[in-house]
Amino acid sequence: MATTAETRLSFTKHPHPAPVAADVRAQVLANPGFGTAFTDHMVEIDYTEGAGWHDARVIPYGPIALDPAAAVLHYAQEIFEGLKAYRLADGGIALFRPEANAARFNASARRLAMPELPEDLFVEAVRQQVLADKDWFPTVEGGSMYLRPFMFASEAFLGVRPAKQYKFMVIASPAGNYFKSGAPAVSIWVSDYTRAAPGGTGAAKCGGNYAASLVPTAEAFSRGHDQVLFLDAAERKWIEELGGMNLFFVFDDGSILTPELTGTILPGITRSSLLTLAAEEGLTVREGRYSLDQWKADAASGKLVETFACGTAAVVTPVGKVASHEGEFTIGSGGPGQLTQKLRQKLVGIQRGEIADTHGWVTRIA
Ligand code: PLP
Ligand code: COI
C-alpha cells in the first residue's frame, strides 16, 4: 500500500445542519430499492497538479459547484467504483474487499490519464463516509449501504489533454434489490451494439463506458428484459458481459466458466471472489471464451444447466431467459439454479459475517 504524505491526510468534518428526518429515513430504509436515496454526508478530496491530494473532508450531502468549462463535462474524464458496507451479524459494520476496489480505481485512473489515489486513502475515505452515516443501513432483508467513490476532471479548460485538477468524492446510498422486477431469474437482451473494442477502455470503470451502454440498455428495457448483454466487438460472437455485471456458466459436468479478462470487460471483484469460492467447492473453474451460439446449443442439449450474473449491485442473480434478434432460449427451468443459489449464499454469508472469512476479504470498520 502507498505510504505517501497524502495517505496521512486527515479529514475535516462538517456535520449536516439539517439531516434527513428520522421518520423519512426509516421509510427509505424499509424499502430502499437501488440508487435513488442518498445519505446525509459525502466525502470530497481535491487534487491539484504539483500539490497532490489535499483538503480531505466529510461534508453535508448536496449539489457541487462546477465550472461550465470543467473538462469532465466535455471529454468525460471520469472514473468510479462500486462497493458495499454490510451490517454484520454481531451488529458491527464491514466493507468487502475495499482494497480491491482501490486497486481497480487506480487501474482505471491510469487508463484515463488521471492521478492515482493512494489505496489506503481510498479505503479511509470510504470508511469515513460509512461512519458519518451509519444510521443509514437498510432494515430490509438483504439490504446494505452502496458506496460510490468517483473522480472527475474539474479543471476549467477546453483543450484536449489530461486535466490538472480533479475531485475525488464518495457518496452513499442505502440499497436493497438491484432488479425491480422481483422475478426469480432475470431476462437478458443480446445487443447488436458493442460496448468496448480491443485497446479501448472496456476494462476501466469509466463513465463513458456506461454512456455507450445506455441505448442498448434502453432497448433491452423496452423489449421487456432486465439487462443487456454485449458480444465482443471484433467478431460479434463471444460473450463478454452485461451492462453492469459479469456472467458465469454452469455445466452438467460440475464445471463453471466465465469470460476471460481480455481487456474489454470489467475485472469484477464479485467475479474474482466467486472463482475462488467455486474452486473451494470442488468445481472445475475455467476462464475462457464462450460463444452465443454455443451457449444456445448447450442450453438446448442440457449441457449448460445454469447461468448467473454477478456484481456488487446485483450480487449473484440467476439468468432465466436470453433473447436476441434471432429468437430466445431458456436456461434450465428458467428459474434459479442450485449452484447459483449455493454460491450466492456462501458469498453473502461471508460478506455479512455469518460464514468464516478465510481470505481476509472482510474489513471491519465498526
Ligand atoms: N461489469 C460491469 C460493466 C460492471 O459495471 C460491474 C459492476 O461494477 C461488474 C462487471 C461487476 O463488478 P464488481 O463485481 O466488482 O461489482
Ligand atoms: C456495481 O455493481 O457496483 C455497478 O457499478 C453496476 C452498476 C450499478 C453500474
Side-chain angles (χ1 to χ4, degrees):
M1 246 184 220
T3 48
T4 61
E6 288 116 342
T7 305
R8 295 187 292 275
L9 278 185
S10 57
F11 285 73
T12 59
K13 296 190 186 128
H14 308 271
H16 202 302
V20 172
D23 57 333
V24 176
R25 189 178 68 220
Q27 240 175 12
V28 170
L29 297 180
N31 186 16
F34 184 85
T36 54
F38 300 93
T39 64
D40 290 316
H41 295 89
M42 59 188 190
V43 165
E44 209 172 313
I45 313 178
D46 296 319
Y47 178 90
T48 311
E49 197 173 89
W53 291 102
H54 57 92
D55 291 316
R57 54 215 188 264
V58 182
I59 55 178
Y61 183 91
I64 52 175
L66 206 54
D67 193 293
V72 64
L73 300 177
H74 305 273
Y75 311 124
Q77 204 187 1
E78 190 268 353
I79 59 172
F80 67 96
E81 269 303 324
L83 71 163
K84 283 175 171 171
Y86 302 88
R87 270 254 179 243
L88 300 175
D90 66 5
I93 300 173
L95 301 170
F96 185 71
R97 306 188 70 181
E99 65 293 332
N101 292 92
R104 188 172 66 187
F105 191 68
N106 281 338
S108 300
R110 290 191 292 275
R111 181 63 184 84
L112 273 286
M114 300 169 92
E116 294 184 37
L117 189 75
E119 282 184 21
D120 38 8
L121 182 55
F122 177 102
V123 175
E124 178 59 14
V126 168
R127 193 182 79 90
Q128 292 282 345
Q129 171 60 51
V130 177
L131 296 183
D133 286 327
K134 55 182 187 314
D135 293 342
W136 277 92
F137 278 85
T139 46
V140 67
E141 162 96 26
S144 57
M145 185 187 286
Y146 183 78
L147 298 155
R148 172 54 63 85
F150 59 106
M151 191 210 306
F152 57 89
S154 52
E155 186 191 2
F157 177 69
L158 294 184
V160 181
R161 58 140 171 82
K164 296 180 179 179
Q165 282 167 15
Y166 297 87
K167 258 187 202 304
F168 170 79
M169 299 187 66
V170 187
I171 56 173
S173 176
N177 245 342
Y178 182 73
F179 290 106
K180 266 201 290 282
S181 74
V186 296
S187 165
I188 277 173
W189 170 252
V190 183
S191 183
D192 288 338
Y193 289 96
T194 58
R195 173 184 175 276
T201 57
K205 205 159 166 63
C206 59
N209 288 343
Y210 296 80
S213 77
L214 298 179
V215 164
T217 297
E219 188 182 12
F221 291 169
S222 72
R223 290 172 178 271
H225 304 287
D226 302 291
Q227 265 280 305
V228 63
L229 179 145
F230 293 106
L231 299 176
D232 77 290
E235 295 180 67
R236 310 278 183 119
K237 178 175 174 180
W238 307 105
I239 296 161
E240 297 239 295
E241 63 178 331
L242 305 186
M245 289 143 226
N246 293 117
L247 270 182
F248 274 86
F249 306 95
V250 182
F251 298 93
D252 62 352
D253 63 359
S255 67
I256 68 167
L257 169 69
T258 191
E260 63 196 326
L261 302 178
T262 54
T264 55
I265 68 172
L266 195 78
I269 293 158
T270 318
R271 173 190 180 280
S272 136
S273 308
L274 291 169
L275 283 171
T276 301
L277 295 180
E280 286 170 3
E281 291 291 320
L283 299 165
T284 305
V285 172
R286 286 179 297 135
E287 294 175 75
R289 295 207 293 190
Y290 196 46
S291 69
L292 175 61
D293 287 345
Q294 194 63 50
W295 187 19
K296 191 174 175 178
D298 290 346
S301 72
K303 187 170 173 221
L304 175 106
V305 289
E306 302 175 33
T307 299
F308 60 85
C310 69
T312 299
V315 194
V316 172
T317 299
V319 174
K321 196 167 78 178
V322 183
S324 71
H325 284 299
E326 266 102 70
E328 357 186 298
F329 60 97
T330 303
I331 311 288
S333 59
Q338 268 181 6
L339 189 78
T340 303
Q341 281 173 301
K342 189 171 180 183
L343 287 173
R344 181 187 164 102
Q345 278 162 11
K346 186 109 196 255
L347 178 70
V348 170
I350 296 170
Q351 289 169 333
R352 293 179 186 275
E354 289 153 5
I355 295 178
D357 166 32
T358 56
H359 306 94
W361 287 343
V362 175
T363 300
R364 182 183 276 270
I365 58 169

